[in-house]
Amino acid sequence: MSVKYVASATLPTQWGEFTIHGFEDPQSGKEHVALSFGDIDAASASDASVLCRVHSECLTGDCLFSLRCDCGPQLQTAMQRIAEEGQGLLLYLRQEGRGIGLLNKIKAYALQDSGADTVEANVKLGFEPDSRGYEICQPMFDHFQVKSLRLMTNNPRKVEALQGLGFKVEQIVPIHTDSNPHNESYLAVKIDKLGHLKKQG
């Protein structure tokens, strides 16, 4: 996959100063970003595993503070962990709604309001339960010369996808956040139907 690096700039946040890196996919026209913290070059040069998060865009959860999912809290937790570690990388991929797009995601929400779960809603709209792809990660990780990951995720399919692209997942770091009455069934479906890791304890 051909992805063009565009530019980098500092990004001060409540957890510390990240660097934001912009990438463009010429085929789809989509723009993706990576957030780096600390000296990624030193880590990659020493073949050390880098603490990483591959996060798919969720406008409703990340920006509008929706309680229907755990996306926003996961994003914030990942950024906090990276800052506390002093080094890490977060890829933010523009594949809203498990790859179906924002408007279809709202349609899926409407079906969920009528009783469908998150998987059933996507299928009723004619989509796979999870249509995301992770090929875009390869040129982005390659830009930072990162090959070995300590990956913050609960999703074994994401691990398998990255391993299939040739990356070494040295460690899976679970990233569970607190549930609420609005997302309890959503989280249960991710475990029961999509195989996500269950919170321990």
Side-chain angles (χ1 to χ4, degrees), residues 9-20:
T10 57
L11 185 73
T13 75
Q14 67 185 82
W15 302 285
E17 188 172 282
F18 287 76
T19 302
I20 185 169

Side-chain angles (χ1 to χ4, degrees), residues 15-59:
W15 302 285
E17 188 172 282
F18 287 76
T19 302
I20 185 169
H21 312 265
F23 297 83
E24 183 180 16
D25 179 354
Q27 293 182 334
S28 68
K30 288 187 176 181
E31 299 167 337
H32 307 273
V33 299
L35 301 182
S36 65
F37 196 99
D39 192 348
I40 302 298
D41 290 339
S44 58
S46 65
D47 294 325
S49 295
V50 177
L51 183 64
C52 295
R53 166 75 178 164
V54 175
H55 189 91
S56 295
E57 177 183 39
C58 178
L59 177 70

